[in-house]
Amino acid sequence: MSKVYSLKTVQKIPISLAEAWDFFSRPQNLKEITPSNLGFNIISKHHGDRMYQGQIIEYKVSPMLGIPLYWMTEITHVEEQNFFVDEQRFGPYSLWHHQHHFKAIDGGVEMTDIVHYKLPLWFLGDIANTIMVRTQLRGIFDHRFQAVEQRFGAWSGVQEKRVLFDGSL
């Protein structure tokens, strides 16, 4: 049986909680913070402008060799200006559970992402994680960090830019 992996990122953003929520709760803004080499496109027609519990969002993404994959997520939990959760319903992972947390702090917002994921194909999925998936996810979240800084500005205080991985659960 393959392992469940997790990652966590924390980023401080010099904007208000309302402004952060307004941007991150709109599905169409996902493309702006996703690396262009992934070929990320929202293909669902009826997903709505803002996140809501029960929302289904369909994507095409090309994480390997430009081969397009279908990915469907559901927004399973939403607490306005606090957090939302997306979970994969169909796609490349056996499990994808992504929590997006927002907290007002002095001078801005602290945004925390926590992802739990599992790959298919038992031990072959674990090998794929070691060889490629973990590195690719680190690159996606590093890109996201930079895209958020470009859009909203850099945090003036101390901020560590890193993606923390947990080996397995």
Side-chain angles (χ1 to χ4, degrees), residues 8-142:
K8 178 180 179 180
T9 66
V10 177
Q11 182 172 10
K12 295 175 184 172
I13 311 168
I15 60 175
S16 70
L17 182 57
E19 189 177 359
W21 185 261
D22 183 61
F23 180 81
F24 290 101
S25 68
R26 294 178 184 266
Q28 66 269 21
N29 290 336
L30 265 171
K31 187 169 185 160
E32 185 177 329
I33 59 173
T34 302
S36 60
N37 67 321
L38 291 179
F40 177 90
N41 279 309
I42 295 176
I43 60 171
S44 51
K45 304 277 189 254
H46 309 290
H47 60 264
D49 293 341
R50 293 194 170 272
M51 304 257 173
Y52 59 87
Q53 189 170 334
Q55 181 180 37
I56 297 291
I57 307 171
E58 299 170 282
Y59 319 87
K60 287 281 184 177
V61 63
S62 303
M64 275 192 332
L65 306 171
I67 301 167
L69 298 174
Y70 175 77
W71 195 348
M72 175 192 281
T73 60
E74 178 182 356
I75 305 301
T76 57
H77 301 81
V78 177
E79 189 174 304
E80 185 85 15
Q81 293 192 16
N82 191 13
F83 73 92
F84 65 90
V85 176
D86 66 85
E87 296 183 29
Q88 176 190 284
R89 292 295 171 244
F90 298 100
Y93 295 89
S94 295
L95 166 74
W96 178 268
H97 183 273
H98 184 177
Q99 304 170 47
H100 309 254
H101 296 269
F102 302 88
K103 178 174 75 173
I105 59 173
D106 285 341
V109 172
E110 183 177 85
M111 179 175 70
T112 302
D113 287 276
I114 301 168
V115 176
H116 289 85
Y117 67 97
K118 182 178 180 177
L119 297 162
L121 304 176
W122 296 35
F123 72 92
L124 295 176
D126 293 333
I127 293 169
N129 186 65
T130 301
I131 293 172
M132 154 183 79
V133 175
R134 181 180 164 132
T135 301
Q136 188 174 46
L137 287 173
R138 181 183 306 281
I140 290 168
F141 280 92
D142 283 346

